[in-house]
Amino acid sequence: MVRKKAVIEGLFTEGSMKKVKDSLSSLENVTSVSVERELAVIEGDTSDDDIVKAVEEAGFNVNMLQEI
């Protein structure tokens, strides 16, 4: 299982964090997502492109994405 950290611009409210968490959680092969103030940690086997797309569909941008 892979853990990735995404820095996401503009996540300050509970509503925005929930929106991004829900979008990332809906991805295939994602087993766990935590979101906290401009930082998301995603566990599972999903591509970087899918993560970026899910965040963008929630209305935000990924500034950095890396495996941890």
Side-chain angles (χ1 to χ4, degrees), residues 11 40 53 66:
L11 291 184
K53 185 177 177 183
Q66 67 183 32

Side-chain angles (χ1 to χ4, degrees), residues 16 19-20 23 53-60:
S16 64
K19 190 173 184 180
V20 168
S23 185
K53 185 177 177 183
V55 171
E56 288 175 348
E57 286 175 357
F60 298 90

Side-chain angles (χ1 to χ4, degrees), residues 2 8 10 17 25 30 32 37 39-43 53-55 57 61 63 65:
V2 178
I8 302 167
M17 288 185 270
S25 295
V30 168
S32 172
R37 287 218 87 69
L39 178 66
V41 176
I42 304 102
E43 291 186 25
K53 185 177 177 183
V55 171
E57 286 175 357
N61 294 309
N63 287 342
L65 180 61

Side-chain angles (χ1 to χ4, degrees), residues 1-16:
M1 183 173 324
V2 178
R3 282 177 52 115
K4 296 181 181 181
K5 172 175 75 171
V7 177
I8 302 167
E9 184 179 329
L11 291 184
F12 298 113
T13 67
E14 290 293 323
S16 64

Side-chain angles (χ1 to χ4, degrees), residues 32-57:
S32 172
V33 176
S34 65
V35 179
E36 183 179 311
R37 287 218 87 69
E38 296 195 324
L39 178 66
V41 176
I42 304 102
E43 291 186 25
D45 296 318
T46 191
S47 73
D48 291 356
D49 289 341
D50 287 343
I51 291 170
V52 170
K53 185 177 177 183
V55 171
E56 288 175 348
E57 286 175 357

